[in-house]
């Protein structure tokens, strides 16, 4: 009994004491930007967000303003990525969203509509669930037909190692200020609000990754808009 307590205590300790992975920079035109040059810097250092009803779920704690963050010019249809400061070491999916700023993105708080442009989840083979491993960068395409203009570009890793517990899922989020050029006349959707679009009991958030071994995974949020 004592041994179990010590092991659990250690596990909890490691989880808070270790430097967590953070999405610190944007990769555009094949070039990685400096940390927090285009990515809004959060104020909770490397702690995850755990409350999906908080405005922190938009762009992490401290991410509602990006007035001191630069704006990256991105071409619609191009490949873009977010780079982490260290590889992801928790199990869970990666999701990417965009939200159009009503005016300058630096002063946009993300209270508008969000649509999803990419997601990566587990694969299933011979009774096992296999999560993306050793990810230190996630790349995706800015949809070709997205209307030109300024957007928040949001990346999220959902740590599901404690996803079997209420509010156990951990959201590692960053948002970049971007200006899309060369876009089209697509109508991005379906959309959600953040907070609002996620519930703590969504099957992809309150999710037991261990036993019985899952045979499917339902991503939270809307379907991916392909553009
Ligand atoms: C990427 O390349 C385009 C086209 O040359 C340029 O307009 C844009 O500023 C570049 N973006 C970044 C973030 O370097
Ligand atoms: Cu952790």
């Amino acid at each position: 009994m004592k041994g179990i307590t010590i092991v659990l205590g250690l596990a909890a300790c490691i989880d808070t004491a270790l430097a967590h992975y953070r999405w610190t920079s944007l990769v555009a035109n094949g070039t990685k930007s400096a940390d927090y040059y285009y990515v809004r810097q959060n104020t909770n250092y490397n702690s995850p967000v755990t409350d999906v009803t908080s405005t922190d779920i938009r762009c992490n704690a401290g991410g509602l303003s990006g007035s001191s963050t630069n704006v990256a010019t991105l071409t619609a249809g191009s490949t873009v990525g977010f780079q982490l400061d260290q590889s992801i070491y928790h199990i869970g999916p990666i999701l990417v969203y965009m939200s159009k700023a009503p005016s300058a993105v630096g002063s946009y708080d993300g209270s508008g509509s969000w649509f999803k442009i990419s997601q990566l989840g587990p694969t299933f083979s011979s009774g096992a669930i296999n999560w993306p491993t050793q990810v230190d960068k996630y790349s995706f395409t800015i949809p070709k037909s997205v209307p030109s203009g300024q957007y928040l570009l949001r990346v999220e890793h959902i740590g599901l190692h404690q996803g079997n517990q209420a509010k156990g899922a951990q959201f590692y989020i960053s948002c970049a200020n971007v200006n899309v050029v060369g876009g089209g006349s697509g109508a991005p959707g379906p959309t959600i609000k953040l907070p609002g679009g996620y519930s703590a009991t969504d099957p992809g958030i309150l999710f037991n990754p261990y036993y019985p071994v899952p045979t499917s995974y339902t991503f939270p949020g809307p379907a991916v808009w392909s553009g």
Side-chain angles (χ1 to χ4, degrees):
M1 195 60 206
K2 198 175 176 195
I4 290 172
T5 309
I6 289 168
V7 169
L8 287 177
L10 241 172
C13 179
I14 285 169
D15 200 58
T16 49
L18 259 190
H20 268 122
Y21 46 94
R22 292 169 290 171
W23 303 99
T24 45
S25 71
L26 196 67
V27 181
N29 301 331
T31 303
K32 175 187 176 294
S33 58
D35 289 356
Y36 301 115
Y37 189 78
Y38 296 123
V39 174
R40 293 183 176 188
Q41 185 147 23
N42 55 300
T43 53
N44 58 353
Y45 189 51
N46 57 27
S47 300
V49 174
T50 56
D51 182 359
V52 299
T53 67
S54 161
T55 51
D56 291 351
I57 200 71
R58 279 182 206 155
C59 289
N60 209 339
L64 292 183
S65 169
S67 52
S68 58
T69 310
N70 296 281
V71 181
T73 299
L74 305 179
T75 308
S78 70
T79 300
V80 172
F82 278 98
Q83 179 91 37
L84 293 137
D85 60 344
Q86 60 172 302
S87 294
I88 290 173
Y89 58 81
H90 287 313
I91 55 170
I94 300 169
L95 307 88
V96 181
Y97 291 82
M98 295 177 75
S99 180
K100 194 154 198 314
S103 53
V105 65
S107 55
Y108 177 45
D109 65 2
S111 55
S113 297
W114 292 85
F115 56 97
K116 189 189 278 173
I117 60 167
S118 182
Q119 59 191 8
L120 178 68
T123 57
F124 302 88
S125 61
S126 19
I129 179 170
N130 308 297
W131 294 95
T133 54
Q134 297 302 311
V135 174
D136 66 355
K137 181 174 106 172
Y138 185 64
S139 298
F140 49 90
T141 302
I142 302 295
K144 182 81 191 107
S145 69
V146 74
S148 295
Q150 304 216 344
Y151 290 82
L152 277 171
L153 180 63
R154 173 184 182 275
V155 66
E156 159 183 71
H157 181 257
I158 308 180
L160 288 175
H161 52 298
Q162 294 168 2
N164 53 331
Q165 304 166 22
K167 299 195 173 169
Q170 303 182 347
F171 298 81
Y172 297 88
I173 306 162
S174 281
C175 288
N177 289 346
V178 307
N179 182 38
V180 175
V181 297
S185 54
T191 64
I192 58 169
K193 291 283 171 60
L194 290 170
Y198 282 11
S199 157
T201 56
D202 283 348
I205 293 175
L206 183 61
F207 177 81
N208 183 344
Y210 304 115
Y211 193 82
V213 178
T215 54
S216 67
Y217 178 73
T218 306
F219 290 93
V224 171
W225 182 65
S226 56

